[in-house]
Amino acid sequence: AQTVTQSQPEMSVQEAETVTLSCTYDTSESDYYLFWYKQPPSRQMILVIRQEAYKQQNATENRFSVNFQKAAKSFSLKISDSQLGDAAMYFCAYRSRNNAGNMLTFGGGTRLMVKP
Amino acid sequence: DVKVTQSSRYLVKRTGEKVFLECVQDMDHENMFWYRQDPGLGLRLIYFSYDVKMKEKGDIPEGYSVSREKKERFSLILESASTNQTSMYLCASSFLDRVIAEAFFGQGTRLTVV
């Protein structure tokens, strides 16, 4: 079974600065997807960014980018120019490409606080 | 916009009650999921379904059952609620067998069992 670990329960960042959230995972598969989801206080989970394991290029979405290290099984999220609206719980998630049920396996989450 | 709607945002039930949590999605997704969210544990999969009347156990199915009579609706049932089922419950849905199939989530139901 796959496991996902987020080692930072809480992080804080000054507004306009950059922060990196860590995620590691354990799998014996070679083909899979990785995701970062954001959960603001409203509780609505929102997809931030996705990465396909077969792609070597790191995914980027505006101020959000990932550092995907397949051999190390590491998938960190970098938030540049942090904004107050970035304050939320962030969850790293794994999905097997062979998994027809498409279920996601989640890490324990990192609470990000943004200081004005 | 994809919409996944959970019937209640907050629910308070007594120990031993039968509890129904309802979830409806409007995007014709084949897959539907029920997760439980607890601090420090992230989201854990309770049950999922990839078709009407089909269901599969997730990581923590004990004490729960599900029902999927229509494609758009997926219900989570607590047959006899207990205090250790006090938690946040999240419903999600996604397409089956797409190249990229991220899940879309409802707003969550915070259930308190007293």
Side-chain angles (χ1 to χ4, degrees):
Chain A
Q2 293 79 24
T3 58
V4 179
T5 303
Q6 293 178 248
S7 58
Q8 306 150 317
E10 282 191 1
M11 293 280 285
S12 67
V13 62
Q14 207 71 35
E15 197 175 4
E17 294 192 346
T18 296
V19 64
T20 299
L21 308 184
S22 301
C23 172
T24 58
Y25 57 94
D26 188 24
T27 184
S28 58
E29 299 175 329
S30 60
D31 204 4
Y32 48 86
Y33 302 106
L34 296 164
F35 304 89
W36 278 99
Y37 278 87
K38 170 185 177 180
Q39 187 183 42
S42 68
R43 302 190 332 219
Q44 185 70 52
M45 293 277 278
I46 304 161
L47 178 68
V48 175
I49 200 164
R50 68 170 74 89
Q51 174 81 43
E52 296 129 293
Y54 66 87
K55 287 188 177 177
Q56 293 187 334
Q57 188 172 6
N58 289 324
T60 62
E61 281 290 338
N62 301 314
R63 297 183 295 109
F64 298 88
S65 61
V66 298
N67 183 4
F68 173 48
Q69 302 287 328
K70 191 172 183 180
K73 295 179 184 173
S74 169
F75 182 61
S76 60
L77 175 70
K78 186 171 87 171
I79 306 174
S80 304
D81 186 25
S82 296
Q83 300 175 0
L84 295 177
D86 295 332
M89 283 291 292
Y90 286 82
F91 291 96
C92 178
Y94 171 102
R95 177 173 93 72
S96 166
R97 194 160 179 176
N98 299 320
N99 184 338
N102 302 144
M103 73 282 283
L104 299 171
T105 301
F106 286 85
T110 297
R111 182 174 301 281
L112 178 66
M113 293 170 284
V114 181
K115 300 176 183 176
Chain B
D1 269 2
V2 174
K3 198 147 191 189
V4 180
T5 304
Q6 295 183 228
S7 52
S8 306
R9 279 183 68 85
Y10 298 94
L11 215 49
V12 180
K13 295 292 182 180
R14 294 195 180 276
T15 302
E17 274 193 80
K18 190 169 186 175
V19 181
F20 292 87
L21 303 184
E22 307 285 345
C23 176
V24 177
Q25 50 94 4
D26 66 358
M27 275 299 292
D28 204 34
H29 286 160
E30 296 89 355
N31 296 324
M32 294 190 76
F33 310 89
W34 277 105
Y35 285 91
R36 171 176 169 158
Q37 181 180 0
D38 298 289
L41 298 178
L43 281 72
R44 293 177 293 167
L45 183 65
I46 304 172
Y47 268 98
F48 70 98
S49 168
Y50 54 87
D51 200 355
V52 175
K53 298 195 186 294
M54 303 303 292
K55 60 184 179 184
E56 297 284 345
K57 292 180 180 179
D59 299 318
I60 52 164
E62 297 78 19
Y64 304 94
S65 62
V66 290
S67 172
R68 192 159 181 208
E69 296 296 319
K70 292 185 177 180
K71 189 175 185 179
E72 68 270 18
R73 187 179 296 269
F74 192 37
S75 302
L76 179 69
I77 303 155
L78 288 66
E79 295 288 343
S80 177
S82 64
T83 55
N84 63 13
Q85 292 177 310
T86 291
S87 188
M88 172 80 76
Y89 292 88
L90 291 171
C91 175
S93 69
S94 71
F95 286 114
L96 181 68
D97 287 344
R98 298 292 174 95
V99 174
I100 287 285
E102 71 264 28
F104 295 86
F105 284 82
Q107 79 276 29
T109 296
R110 187 173 295 283
L111 172 67
T112 302
V113 183
V114 298

